[in-house]
Amino acid sequence: MKRLIIMLLIASSALSTTFAQKKDTTWQKARPLSEAKYPTVVRGALNDFIQHFALAEGQSYSVNRNPVTDVLESSERVVRFRCDTAEPMLQAVKNAYNTSEYITYQFTQIMPGGNEQFAIRVVSDGGKVNKTIPVRTKNTQEMWFLATKNLENPQLRDVYAIVWEKKSAIDWPDMFEGTIYMISSLRPDLYTKEMDSSKKTFRIEGRVDANIKDSLYNIYIADTYAQLCGQSDDAYVACVPVINKRFEYQVELDHPVAGRLRCIFPDGELCSAWIDLDFVPGETYHITVHNGYYDDDMDYENRVGRFSGKSLINGAATVDEPRESVRTVTDPMEQVQLLQAERTKESINKAVEVQLKFKANKIEVDMKILKVLYEQLDPAKRIEFPMDLTFDQILNKNKTIESDFADMIKLAGNDVISDKDKIEFKTHIYKKALELVIEQNKILSEASRVVGFPKSGRKLQTYLEKLSDKYMNALTKLMR
């Protein structure tokens, strides 16, 4: 048990490092735009241009965020426009591109008369969406394009392109008509690497019935089915959380192996039954788990699984049993008895440890997101990020983190942990939570002096002050 507490203290100590590094925030020392490695000027110029000259027809806008971390995964905005050929704001857009060239890793300008065509490759949804958007299709068009790294998600690139051409005198005398593209998607170089490794990757994409409360799945792997059946309960290679009734797992394999999924219930109990599958490189198994049974991926099973003639399981894959029973499954070659797991103190300890580590890692990710959100208060980015929206996002993220801290405290109250260890661990968690709140209060105090606050900012301050009182009172009670 002492090992569990020590490991958890080490894991939770990471919670303070991410946010503590942001002492010198971007808004405390307003950086010149030339130092910000992001095309703020271009984005601002394009947004201004859109406000004045966008056409109602032909616009499209979409944003996709990770449902767990709220991190941006892709966005796409396409806007058609029309303006006078002598419009000075169009020249301002060109100037913005010229001044931002040095901070991009790709910059392209094509003038009318050139025969070169240009398109943007868009990869999103983990590579499932892969399309090409034509941008410059005629030699009469002028085009400006740049690409930079995305500030929120380093796996993405941001591209900003504008293309236009002069319309005929009959339709629109002395008018330009064109399109603006503002797209965030996977960096093509990363996607190419992912494609190279995809032939070795086995994936599980799972769903859990709304009527059951599975919270985690242990994953077991072995070269043969006999080795798999001989493994101990704690020989799992991964523990996958169930989030919003979904779970996912992937692993790179050089050859097919025997695999097993085994549920951990919210109270830490390891399920007495399991699901056995053939893990095959380059394949994805889709599964939905119900109470006592699961939906097979019959296409998978027929091609490479139990009914393919290649299975390592040889038709003996077990069905996740009803929670109160265990049965024997008959193999065509041999009988495999499903052994009922003993609900030992050590197995519960491990389950609690896994869940606490998962919560600690989730909070750490959310703190990184908070760091990005606070950077948006930089006055230089006010055009890009409305302050009301930023403060609302910071408030919601803090509420999520508060809930996860509360879950960790609840888990630390498990009966398998001694009273002394409970106090030690809870004290550590409350201190970390309080440090996060105090750090934000300092940042907000300075921000209110520099940039001023809307109503949403004052609402955030009030919430953090109440949270500070809550954690201080909890620490005082523990120390009595």
Side-chain angles (χ1 to χ4, degrees):
M1 174 49 57
K2 198 66 178 176
R3 181 184 71 86
L4 168 63
I5 295 297
I6 292 173
M7 290 184 69
L8 292 174
L9 291 177
I10 293 173
S12 62
S13 67
L15 302 180
S16 62
T17 59
T18 299
F19 220 77
Q21 293 172 356
K22 63 182 307 314
K23 297 285 185 180
D24 183 21
T25 54
T26 55
W27 49 262
Q28 285 174 322
K29 290 186 177 181
R31 296 177 300 172
L33 291 177
S34 60
E35 293 180 16
K37 300 298 183 180
Y38 194 73
T40 305
V41 177
V42 168
R43 183 162 178 164
L46 290 176
N47 280 330
D48 286 345
F49 194 82
I50 288 171
Q51 288 180 7
H52 287 83
F53 304 108
L55 300 176
E57 66 274 12
Q59 290 198 39
S60 64
Y61 181 62
S62 64
V63 177
N64 295 309
R65 290 186 175 274
N66 187 290
V68 178
T69 65
D70 199 36
V71 172
L72 179 70
E73 292 186 339
S74 66
S75 69
E76 183 176 313
R77 186 181 187 187
V78 179
V79 180
R80 291 185 53 77
F81 68 86
R82 186 180 296 126
C83 70
D84 190 271
T85 54
E87 174 54 50
M89 289 188 70
L90 187 58
Q91 184 58 48
V93 169
K94 294 183 185 181
N95 294 339
Y97 273 91
N98 277 324
T99 58
S100 302
E101 178 181 353
Y102 77 102
I103 61 172
T104 70
Y105 65 78
Q106 185 179 358
F107 183 94
T108 304
Q109 174 194 2
I110 305 176
M111 300 302 292
N115 292 322
E116 182 180 356
Q117 296 190 346
F118 194 91
I120 300 174
R121 183 184 178 191
V122 178
V123 182
S124 59
D125 195 16
K128 295 178 182 178
V129 177
N130 185 8
K131 62 182 180 180
T132 300
I133 299 178
V135 177
R136 187 179 191 266
T137 58
K138 306 175 184 176
N139 62 6
T140 55
Q141 294 173 323
E142 180 172 349
M143 186 203 77
W144 293 72
F145 169 93
L146 63 77
T148 65
K149 292 180 181 179
N150 181 273
L151 291 180
E152 183 176 346
N153 186 346
Q155 289 189 320
L156 305 184
R157 69 162 183 179
D158 294 341
V159 300
Y160 298 93
I162 181 170
V163 60
W164 67 87
E165 64 179 324
K166 187 175 181 180
K167 301 304 293 181
S168 65
I170 297 176
D171 295 335
W172 297 94
D174 299 321
M175 297 293 289
F176 282 141
E177 190 171 284
T179 308
I180 294 172
Y181 303 87
M182 305 169 76
I183 299 172
S184 297
S185 62
L186 281 173
R187 286 165 44 197
D189 60 317
L190 290 180
Y191 176 66
T192 301
K193 292 177 182 177
E194 289 176 2
M195 287 293 289
D196 291 340
S197 64
S198 64
K199 294 181 180 179
K200 294 185 177 182
T201 302
F202 166 75
R203 293 181 176 84
I204 296 174
E205 295 183 359
R207 296 171 179 263
V208 174
D209 193 300
N211 297 320
I212 61 176
K213 297 182 179 180
D214 295 359
S215 59
L216 298 164
Y217 278 92
N218 281 351
I219 307 293
Y220 302 82
I221 294 177
D223 285 331
T224 68
Y225 190 52
Q227 291 175 355
L228 183 69
C229 292
Q231 289 183 346
S232 61
D233 291 346
D234 61 357
Y236 57 87
V237 298
C239 187
V240 181
V242 177
I243 301 172
N244 295 329
K245 297 298 180 181
R246 296 173 181 267
F247 63 95
E248 295 184 0
Y249 172 72
Q250 68 178 43
V251 61
E252 293 205 5
L253 302 170
D254 293 323
H255 55 84
V257 297
R260 174 170 293 170
L261 285 71
R262 196 167 181 183
C263 169
I264 297 176
F265 300 130
D267 63 358
E269 181 181 2
L270 188 64
C271 184
S272 59
W274 49 77
I275 301 170
D276 289 341
L277 302 172
D278 291 280
F279 288 12
V280 180
E283 298 287 345
T284 299
Y285 197 98
H286 300 88
I287 185 170
T288 300
V289 181
H290 304 279
N291 188 11
Y293 67 100
Y294 68 94
D295 295 336
D296 299 82
D297 187 335
M298 293 308 299
D299 175 67
Y300 181 100
E301 299 289 13
N302 288 324
R303 288 187 298 102
V304 295
R306 287 174 297 171
F307 312 124
S308 66
K310 312 170 189 176
S311 174
L312 295 173
I313 308 299
N314 286 325
T318 69
V319 175
D320 191 7
E321 297 300 316
R323 308 317 186 190
E324 66 277 359
S325 66
V326 179
R327 67 178 176 84
T328 302
V329 177
T330 303
D331 186 293
M333 306 298 294
E334 60 178 335
Q335 287 190 335
V336 180
Q337 177 69 39
L338 298 180
L339 302 176
Q340 184 169 7
E342 181 184 3
R343 191 172 185 264
T344 63
K345 187 174 182 179
E346 182 60 32
S347 67
I348 298 173
N349 292 349
K350 186 171 288 293
V352 172
E353 177 182 339
V354 168
Q355 293 179 70
L356 281 166
K357 283 184 176 179
F358 169 70
K359 287 292 181 182
N361 289 335
K362 185 172 180 291
I363 293 172
E364 186 175 1
V365 171
D366 283 340
M367 289 171 71
K368 290 179 180 178
I369 295 173
L370 270 183
K371 181 176 184 292
V372 173
L373 290 172
Y374 273 107
E375 288 175 349
Q376 292 178 8
L377 297 179
D378 183 348
K381 301 177 182 177
R382 292 281 290 279
I383 292 176
E384 297 181 56
F385 306 107
M387 290 187 71
D388 277 326
L389 176 60
T390 297
F391 280 123
D392 287 341
Q393 289 175 328
I394 292 173
L395 177 61
N396 291 333
K397 189 57 63 179
N398 269 287
K399 289 180 178 179
T400 299
I401 293 174
E402 179 192 8
S403 176
D404 287 334
F405 273 131
D407 288 344
M408 293 182 78
I409 293 295
K410 185 177 179 180
L411 286 167
N414 194 292
D415 291 339
V416 301
I417 302 178
S418 70
D419 289 341
K420 181 180 178 182
D421 287 338
K422 286 179 186 178
I423 294 174
E424 180 183 359
F425 183 71
K426 287 182 178 180
T427 300
H428 186 80
I429 292 299
Y430 279 129
K431 283 183 177 179
K432 293 302 177 186
L434 185 59
E435 286 174 7
L436 174 61
V437 173
I438 291 173
E439 184 67 27
Q440 290 184 81
N441 280 329
K442 290 179 181 177
I443 293 170
L444 289 172
S445 177
E446 177 66 17
S448 65
R449 185 181 64 81
V450 175
V451 298
F453 272 6
K455 183 178 179 180
S456 56
R458 294 190 294 273
K459 181 179 178 181
L460 172 62
Q461 279 186 307
T462 301
Y463 172 79
L464 291 176
E465 288 168 0
K466 291 180 179 179
L467 210 55
S468 178
D469 291 340
K470 172 184 173 180
Y471 292 141
M472 283 295 296
N473 292 335
L475 280 171
T476 301
K477 290 180 181 179
L478 285 172
M479 293 176 180
R480 286 175 180 171

